[in-house]
Amino acid sequence: MTSDNRRPQPSDGLLERLASIIESRAPARGGDPQTSYVARLLQRGPDAFLKKIGEEATEIVMAAKDVDRADTDDSRRKLVGEVADLWFHTMVALAHYGLRPADVLAELERREGTSGIEEKALRKSAARERTGD
């Protein structure tokens, strides 16, 4: 890992390129479940990739606890690797549901500058309006 003043810069368009690769591996587009992990996950359906998302989220918690216990380059690398695994599997879910990273980025941009407490209160209020409470 690098120090705070030398963080790696993400590659422009990386998430969109990865999303395109994931979509191209879908069985409906000719992806072969025998040779492609993504095709296999998508063929097995939501239960398969949603289970992986849950597993990866748990692994992030465990890796973060390891950083809390011993903040080393190795423990930080492990945490970053687990987050990358979670992002990847959530991108498989996005592809399955016909969504792209740009949809998530647009939502984050929409929320930018809004306090988390305020944003949560707005969502609760909107949900009450939809249900008529």
Side-chain angles (χ1 to χ4, degrees), residues 78-99:
K78 175 77 171 157
L79 178 57
V80 168
E82 296 302 345
V83 170
D85 290 346
L86 177 64
W87 285 16
F88 174 81
H89 288 92
T90 57
M91 289 182 67
V92 171
L94 288 173
H96 174 79
Y97 295 111
L99 298 166

Side-chain angles (χ1 to χ4, degrees), residues 37-89:
Y37 175 68
V38 170
R40 188 175 312 148
L41 279 176
L42 291 171
Q43 181 185 49
R44 290 180 180 167
D47 285 348
F49 57 77
L50 295 174
K51 179 180 176 187
K52 286 301 296 180
I53 289 170
E55 289 171 3
E56 297 303 341
T58 300
E59 290 173 11
I60 287 171
V61 171
M62 295 178 344
K65 291 293 200 176
D66 288 345
V67 173
D68 286 341
R69 279 190 290 277
D71 188 352
T72 64
D73 285 348
D74 188 52
S75 64
R76 287 174 170 262
R77 269 192 295 277
K78 175 77 171 157
L79 178 57
V80 168
E82 296 302 345
V83 170
D85 290 346
L86 177 64
W87 285 16
F88 174 81
H89 288 92

